[in-house]
């Protein structure tokens, strides 16, 4: 499979592999080194994992702040050393937790909240990952961080084991939110331990699980050559269509292709903010910023165009 695959592959990651494993697989199937992902999923978690290939890796940063949606299973009645099902569980004595109690506690977790990341997380402490320090038996003190929970609701309740009920929770949150920490803190708020038993990312920004491609389908497509795999890719600017566009004339296009700042072609447009840069025929050529009536290119997706020389 040759080079030239540019675009976004929205993968439905299964539980088991790490996000890095998925990137490594796509890199091998696409025969390209230019592959990255748009937000880590823990190995036990499944769901939407945007993969950026080729020139699309240049725009991955525009998606880092995308909000996320999850369906989480919260297990009450015990705590976990990792705040999820993969850690050592410690039963917590106390009254049985009811759905009504949990739903009543959710309000304090909606909106802007402060949470401390799990000890077993990828946060760096003194240049080392927190999970590496925790596995080495060292005490890890992580700084609390502000995150935002836009929506949070209990959608199912299983009390087949009254002392260890399970809640299915749907939430939408800002980038950087730890759902494991939310489960842990929710358990503490209702006077019971709790940990994350399962997690599905149902959306990452504009990318939805129902539109994602299972890994088996990616493998099948790759086995038949580059064309079937290319058909699975979204355009480089997928999910960024809401950004305003600046249509460049031929001279400005040549200047932008060389990284030069140009005057904003359209009067009356916003003076600041990110924009999509398009050629006279509407083809995407990059992204930039409008600043004081000028356009400064940030990401140029075309080869430099030589300026015209008057003879």
């Amino acid at each position: 499979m040759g080079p030239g695959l540019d675009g976004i592959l929205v993968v439905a990651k299964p539980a088991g592999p790490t996000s890095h494993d998925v990137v490594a697989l796509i890199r091998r199937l696409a025969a390209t080194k230019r592959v990255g992902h748009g937000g880590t999923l823990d190995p036990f978690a499944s769901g939407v994992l945007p993969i950026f290939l080729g020139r699309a890796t240049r725009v991955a940063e525009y998606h880092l702040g995308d909000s996320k949606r999850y369906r989480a299973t919260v297990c009450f009645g015990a705590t976990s050393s990792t705040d999820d099902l993969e850690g050592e569980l410690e039963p917590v004595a106390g009254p049985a937790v009811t759905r009504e109690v949990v739903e009543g506690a959710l309000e304090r977790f909606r909106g802007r909240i402060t949470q401390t990341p799990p000890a077993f997380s990828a946060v760096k402490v003194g240049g080392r990952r927190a999970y590496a320090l925790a596995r080495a038996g060292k005490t890890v003190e992580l700084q609390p961080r502000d995150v935002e929970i836009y929506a949070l609701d209990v959608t199912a309740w299983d009390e087949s084991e009254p002392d260890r009920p399970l809640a299915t929770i749907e939430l939408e949150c800002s980038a950087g939110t730890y759902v494991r920490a939310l489960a842990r803190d929710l358990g503490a708020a209702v006077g019971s331990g709790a940990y994350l038993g399962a997690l599905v990312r149902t959306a990452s920004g504009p990318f939805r699980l129902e539109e994602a491609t299972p890994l088996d389908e990616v493998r099948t497509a790759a086995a038949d050559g580059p064309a079937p795999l290319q058909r699975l890719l979204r355009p480089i600017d997928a999910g960024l269509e809401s950004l305003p566009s600046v249509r460049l004339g031929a001279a400005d296009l040549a200047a932008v292709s060389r990284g030069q700042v140009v005057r904003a072609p359209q009067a009356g447009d916003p003076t600041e903010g990110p924009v999509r840069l398009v050629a006279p025929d509407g083809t995407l050529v990059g992204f930039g910023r409008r600043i004081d009536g000028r356009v400064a290119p940030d990401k140029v997706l075309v080869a430099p165009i030589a300026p015209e020389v008057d003879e």
Side-chain angles (χ1 to χ4, degrees):
M1 191 170 304
L5 291 175
D6 300 299
I8 303 172
L9 178 62
V10 184
V11 171
K13 183 186 105 59
T18 66
S19 298
H20 179 75
D21 291 337
V22 176
V23 168
L25 173 64
I26 301 302
R27 182 178 290 126
R28 179 174 60 81
L29 294 177
T32 178
K33 295 182 179 179
R34 298 178 64 190
V35 180
H37 67 74
T40 301
L41 273 176
D42 288 331
F44 78 91
S46 63
V48 177
L49 183 64
I51 303 293
F52 299 86
L53 290 86
R55 292 183 300 158
T57 57
R58 303 283 310 282
V59 305
E61 67 179 66
Y62 293 107
H63 292 279
L64 294 181
D66 284 348
S67 63
K68 309 292 191 293
R69 284 185 175 272
Y70 294 98
R71 181 170 59 251
T73 300
V74 179
C75 309
F76 294 92
T79 59
S80 166
S81 58
T82 59
D83 297 328
D84 61 38
L85 77 167
E86 296 187 330
E88 295 182 10
L89 302 183
E90 183 70 30
V92 175
V97 178
T98 65
R99 177 170 183 163
E100 291 70 25
V101 169
V102 170
E103 290 181 328
L106 291 184
E107 185 58 36
R108 74 187 70 178
F109 294 99
R110 297 187 179 108
R112 195 157 189 83
I113 66 171
T114 300
Q115 65 172 198
T116 301
F120 286 82
S121 65
V123 175
K124 284 191 174 182
V125 180
R128 297 186 62 188
R129 300 291 185 184
Y131 61 75
L133 296 170
R135 287 171 182 164
K138 297 183 179 180
T139 301
V140 180
E141 293 187 8
L142 299 176
Q143 294 299 313
R145 60 173 62 180
D146 289 338
V147 299
E148 190 149 7
I149 309 298
Y150 307 112
L152 180 64
D153 296 284
V154 175
T155 57
W157 184 263
D158 181 354
E159 54 184 11
S160 53
E161 294 185 50
D163 294 335
R164 302 183 64 181
L166 308 177
T168 300
I169 292 176
E170 303 270 356
L171 68 146
E172 181 180 3
C173 56
S174 62
T177 301
Y178 280 95
V179 184
R180 285 183 288 150
L182 181 64
R184 175 199 67 204
D185 295 343
L186 179 59
V190 299
S192 166
Y195 61 92
L196 190 62
L199 185 66
V200 179
R201 182 190 284 164
T202 57
S204 179
F207 307 119
R208 301 290 185 263
L209 181 57
E210 56 268 23
E211 301 168 350
T213 305
L215 278 182
D216 285 345
E217 290 187 20
V218 177
R219 290 189 182 94
T220 299
D224 293 330
L229 187 57
Q230 180 70 61
R231 286 194 289 269
L232 296 178
L233 302 185
R234 310 278 183 90
I236 292 174
D237 59 343
L240 301 175
E241 296 89 350
S242 62
L243 292 180
S245 296
V246 171
R247 191 176 293 268
L248 304 169
D252 285 341
L253 172 59
V256 163
S257 75
R258 301 191 299 273
Q260 297 174 355
V261 176
V262 299
R263 289 190 177 277
Q266 295 109 321
D269 283 347
T271 57
E272 295 184 1
V275 294
R276 301 164 72 251
L277 305 176
V278 298
D281 63 358
T283 303
L284 179 73
V285 298
F287 293 85
R289 291 166 291 119
R290 295 183 65 102
I291 305 175
D292 296 331
R294 295 177 178 272
V295 175
D298 287 330
K299 307 289 182 181
V300 178
L301 305 176
V302 295
I305 301 172
E308 294 185 2
V309 178
D310 294 331
E311 296 182 359

